[in-house]
C-alpha cells in the first residue's frame, strides 16, 4: 500500500454491527462493502450456537456472532490480523465467548472439533470471561436514569443473558459447530 499524502499512520478504527474494530489497514484485509454480507450471515446464528470462522481476519463475522451469544472459534494465519483480532476481542469484552487462533486454515478446520471438545481447554477458555455484575447504574441527581445509564443497564442484562446462553451450551458432552464461516477469494476452490 502506498501513502499518497498525510501522516504515515494506517491504523484505522471503525464500528460495524455494534462492534469496534481497530487494525493496521496496510497489513490486514478489510472491506467495508462486506458489512451487509457480514450482517446477513450473523442473522442466521442463534445464541448458544458454536461458530467456526476459518479465515477470521480482524473479526467482522466472529465479533458480532460473539455479541449475539454464540461461542466462536476464530482463526487467521496472518500474525497481524491475529494480533488485532485478539485486541478487538478484548476491546469488545468478548473473552470467553470468542477464542482466537493463529494457524493455517486447513489445519485449524481439521483440529477445531477436538479443540471444541477438550474439557481442560474449555475450562481455561471459559475462565477468561469477565463476570459482569448486576449492580444498578448510578441515578442522576433527580433519581431518574439518564439515557446513557439506561443503555448501560441494558448492556449488563444482555451480557448476563449471553453468559447464561454460553454456559448452557457448554454443558453438552459432545459439542459440534453449527456453522463454518470461510471468507475466501473466488480463486480459493481448494477449501470448498
Amino acid at each position: 500500500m502506498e501513502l499518497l499524502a498525510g501522516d504515515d499512520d494506517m491504523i484505522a478504527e471503525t464500528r460495524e454491527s455494534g462492534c469496534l474494530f481497530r487494525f493496521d489497514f496496510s497489513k490486514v484485509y478489510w472491506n467495508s462493502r462486506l458489512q451487509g454480507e457480514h450482517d446477513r450471515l450473523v442473522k442466521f446464528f442463534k445464541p448458544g450456537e458454536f461458530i467456526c470462522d476459518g479465515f477470521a481476519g480482524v473479526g467482522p463475522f466472529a465479533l458480532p456472532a460473539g455479541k449475539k451469544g454464540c461461542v466462536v472459534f476464530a482463526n487467521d494465519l496472518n500474525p497481524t490480523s491475529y494480533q488485532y483480532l485478539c485486541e478487538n476481542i478484548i476491546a469488545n469484552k468478548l473473552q470467553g465467548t470468542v477464542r482466537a487462533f493463529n494457524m493455517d486454515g486447513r489445519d485449524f478446520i481439521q483440529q477445531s472439533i477436538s479443540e471444541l471438545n477438550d474439557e481442560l481447554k474449555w475450562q481455561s477458555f471459559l475462565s477468561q470471561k469477565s463476570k459482569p455484575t448486576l449492580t444498578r447504574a448510578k441515578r442522576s441527581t433527580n433519581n431518574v436514569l439518564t439515557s446513557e445509564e439506561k443503555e448501560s443497564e441494558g448492556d449488563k442484562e444482555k451480557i448476563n443473558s449471553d453468559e447464561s446462553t454460553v454456559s448452557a451450551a457448554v454443558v453438552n458432552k459432545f459439542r459440534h459447530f453449527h456453522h463454518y464461516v470461510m471468507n475466501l477469494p473466488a480463486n480459493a476452490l481448494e477449501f470448498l
Side-chain angles (χ1 to χ4, degrees):
M1 180 173 286
E2 180 183 358
L3 179 67
L4 298 177
D7 296 334
D8 190 11
D9 180 11
M10 298 288 184
I11 304 295
E13 279 191 14
T14 187
R15 286 199 165 276
E16 184 177 294
S17 306
C19 298
L20 175 67
F21 295 93
R22 185 173 189 273
F23 51 88
D24 184 335
F25 202 82
S26 68
K27 296 181 180 176
V28 304
Y29 176 76
W30 181 268
N31 185 344
S32 297
R33 291 180 293 173
L34 292 175
Q35 181 175 357
E37 182 67 5
H38 299 154
D39 290 342
R40 185 184 72 79
L41 282 177
V42 171
K43 283 181 186 175
F44 285 111
F45 306 157
K46 296 177 181 63
E49 287 186 331
F50 296 101
I51 312 300
C52 181
D53 188 349
F55 306 91
V58 298
F61 287 108
L63 275 57
K67 283 241 186 217
K68 191 171 183 175
C70 299
V71 175
V72 184
F73 279 27
N75 175 69
D76 204 276
L77 180 61
N78 176 347
T80 306
S81 291
Y82 170 76
Q83 171 196 337
Y84 282 106
L85 173 62
C86 292
E87 289 177 18
N88 292 334
I89 289 168
I90 293 167
N92 288 281
K93 299 180 175 92
L94 293 170
Q95 309 93 307
T97 303
V98 179
R99 183 173 174 198
F101 296 83
N102 182 218
M103 301 172 64
D104 174 75
R106 185 182 315 281
D107 294 338
F108 170 70
I109 290 169
Q110 290 173 347
Q111 295 176 21
S112 61
I113 294 292
S114 61
E115 285 283 332
L116 187 63
N117 285 286
D118 185 315
E119 287 305 317
L120 292 176
K121 290 180 182 177
W122 258 110
Q123 295 308 316
S124 173
F125 173 56
L126 291 175
S127 69
Q128 295 175 20
K129 187 168 191 77
S130 57
K131 302 292 182 194
T133 60
L134 284 174
T135 57
R136 302 285 298 167
K138 290 182 181 178
R139 304 269 180 200
S140 60
T141 53
N142 60 2
N143 208 26
V144 176
L145 287 175
T146 66
S147 60
E148 287 118 8
E149 291 167 340
K150 287 179 186 175
E151 187 175 313
S152 174
E153 280 199 348
D155 288 347
K156 287 178 186 171
E157 289 172 13
K158 182 181 181 327
I159 288 169
N160 280 292
S161 161
D162 291 347
E163 184 176 274
S164 62
T165 302
V166 170
S167 298
V170 171
V171 171
N172 297 332
K173 283 292 180 195
F174 180 77
R175 293 177 281 277
H176 66 280
F177 288 105
H178 296 87
H179 303 276
Y180 280 85
V181 177
M182 293 188 281
N183 186 17
L184 296 167
N187 63 357
L189 295 175
E190 65 204 55
F191 284 100
L192 301 177

